[in-house]
Amino acid sequence: QVQLVESGGGLVQAGGSLRLSCATSGLTFSRRALGWFRQAPGREREFVAAISWSGSSTYYADSVKGRFTISRDNAKNSLYLQMNSLKPEDTAVYYCAASVRAVARHEEDFGSWGQGTQVTVSS
């Protein structure tokens, strides 16, 4: 059974930082692209960042480029999202997701999802 469990969310002031983690089990972690998505209240879920199976390719939404960094540790079956210079508009529930593909960035390519972790950025 595939499981993805996010952690690291919380309340932070604008300009602050948070590091999200996603622990996975039940999947061939090292062969899958992974991603982070977010959903703010009243809005559709949106792409944040993705990383290829090897970690050699990363993709970011324009809104987070230069502030967020996605990384993975295949030895620990874990995914991370370092978020710096946070803004109130980054407030959302953040989800990690796993794809069956080695490289992916579109939501429809991700079939396994975590439950999400809340990130709240105060102004």
Side-chain angles (χ1 to χ4, degrees), residues 56-71:
S56 61
S57 297
T58 55
Y59 309 92
Y60 296 94
D62 289 343
S63 59
V64 307
K65 203 170 295 184
R67 300 187 297 123
F68 290 11
T69 302
I70 189 171
S71 62

Side-chain angles (χ1 to χ4, degrees), residues 38-78:
R38 67 186 181 186
Q39 187 168 21
R43 302 186 66 176
E44 292 187 353
R45 188 162 58 189
E46 64 177 2
F47 169 78
V48 174
I51 187 166
S52 64
W53 70 276
S54 65
S56 61
S57 297
T58 55
Y59 309 92
Y60 296 94
D62 289 343
S63 59
V64 307
K65 203 170 295 184
R67 300 187 297 123
F68 290 11
T69 302
I70 189 171
S71 62
R72 64 189 295 162
D73 185 335
N74 286 354
K76 295 182 178 180
N77 291 348
S78 293

Side-chain angles (χ1 to χ4, degrees), residues 17-99:
S17 298
L18 282 174
R19 187 188 193 216
L20 304 184
S21 298
C22 177
T24 75
S25 61
L27 53 82
T28 310
F29 183 87
S30 61
R31 296 297 185 184
R32 293 177 177 238
L34 302 168
W36 289 99
F37 293 77
R38 67 186 181 186
Q39 187 168 21
R43 302 186 66 176
E44 292 187 353
R45 188 162 58 189
E46 64 177 2
F47 169 78
V48 174
I51 187 166
S52 64
W53 70 276
S54 65
S56 61
S57 297
T58 55
Y59 309 92
Y60 296 94
D62 289 343
S63 59
V64 307
K65 203 170 295 184
R67 300 187 297 123
F68 290 11
T69 302
I70 189 171
S71 62
R72 64 189 295 162
D73 185 335
N74 286 354
K76 295 182 178 180
N77 291 348
S78 293
L79 175 70
Y80 307 99
L81 185 68
Q82 178 66 43
M83 306 186 294
N84 298 328
S85 303
L86 282 161
K87 305 175 181 181
E89 51 264 44
D90 294 318
T91 295
V93 177
Y94 283 70
Y95 299 90
C96 70
S99 174

